[in-house]
Amino acid sequence: TDIYWYPSLPVMGLLTYENSTINDETTIAFDTRFSYIYNSGWERITGEVTVGAAEWSGSNSDFFWGVTWTGASPSDRIFFVTNFNEAEPNFMRFYNGVDWDNFNPVIDALGSTLNSARILTVFKNRLIALNTWEGAAPGNNYVNRARYCQIGSPLDVNAWRQDIVGRGNAIDAPTQEAIVTVEFVKDRLI
């Protein structure tokens, strides 16, 4: 007999993952520890490439934000997710439709990494991380920063490197106010 047990943790995100099939948007739910996919009922996503990648840590104030973008091949549909928890031992994650894996890209020659972001979005063919945690984990919080990868795959080993021309970089807004949300107005990211 199948038995389903749910720990009754608070819902921290209901996001849609755009599969490669046109207009096939799978709903993925998050609580403070696990992710679930809806297939005629909620099922926990347990597949992981890196040990621990399928389990999250956080409190009831660490909400999830995610976006679907390309992977190593332009035809890949990869779901990038963050819960803006600077103490998350497995950093941000990406989901390929089967397994979760850690996502903390290297941003310079010193080995500094992008550990977390409040928001992940896509703009002008680049994956963008806003309000970031960078450096040796947990690193420093840059509340007014937009860090972006190269045009193309954000999973490329050098995609986020700011010290290689044509790859990634960052820009800081001229304010001390934290970036807490984004919106598209015509062809501008506000």
Side-chain angles (χ1 to χ4, degrees):
T1 303
D2 290 335
I3 297 173
Y4 296 96
W5 176 77
Y6 297 98
S8 298
L9 297 170
V11 175
M12 301 309 295
L14 288 169
L15 307 175
T16 54
Y17 166 47
E18 300 172 24
N19 294 343
S20 57
T21 307
I22 295 175
N23 295 327
D24 183 10
E25 297 183 0
T26 304
T27 301
I28 298 181
F30 296 87
D31 59 28
T32 56
R33 293 195 51 214
F34 305 110
S35 59
Y36 306 86
I37 193 164
Y38 189 80
N39 289 323
S40 301
W42 291 104
E43 300 172 13
R44 192 171 141 213
I45 303 173
T46 57
E48 54 189 21
V49 175
T50 306
V51 174
E55 189 169 336
W56 297 81
S57 66
S59 68
N60 61 359
S61 64
D62 295 319
F63 292 95
F64 286 80
W65 193 298
V67 66
T68 304
W69 191 232
T70 64
S73 166
S75 64
D76 294 341
R77 291 288 169 237
I78 307 295
F79 189 47
F80 294 90
V81 179
T82 179
N83 70 340
F84 196 57
N85 179 1
E86 75 277 4
E88 176 66 60
N90 290 303
F91 311 101
M92 297 180 287
R93 314 281 203 302
F94 66 91
Y95 179 67
N96 61 11
V98 178
D99 299 314
W100 286 107
D101 200 2
N102 297 348
F103 182 61
N104 66 322
V106 175
I107 58 175
D108 61 28
L110 300 173
S112 299
T113 57
L114 171 61
N115 302 320
S116 189
R118 178 170 298 280
I119 301 165
L120 295 173
T121 193
V122 175
F123 185 66
K124 302 279 185 176
N125 295 327
R126 298 176 190 264
L127 183 62
I128 300 174
L130 298 145
N131 190 344
T132 63
W133 282 92
E134 302 175 10
N140 297 311
N141 184 212
Y142 298 94
V143 298
N144 59 342
R145 178 164 289 176
R147 179 163 295 282
Y148 54 90
C149 75
Q150 68 184 9
I151 292 176
S153 174
L155 299 176
D156 182 282
V157 68
N158 293 319
W160 296 81
R161 294 274 302 268
Q162 63 189 16
D163 57 339
I164 300 175
V165 176
R167 298 298 182 140
N169 210 334
I171 187 167
D172 295 328
T175 180
Q176 293 302 312
E177 292 183 42
I179 298 170
V180 294
T181 192
V182 297
E183 182 64 46
F184 293 96
V185 177
K186 295 189 179 184
D187 195 27
R188 295 184 184 206
L189 179 66
I190 306 294

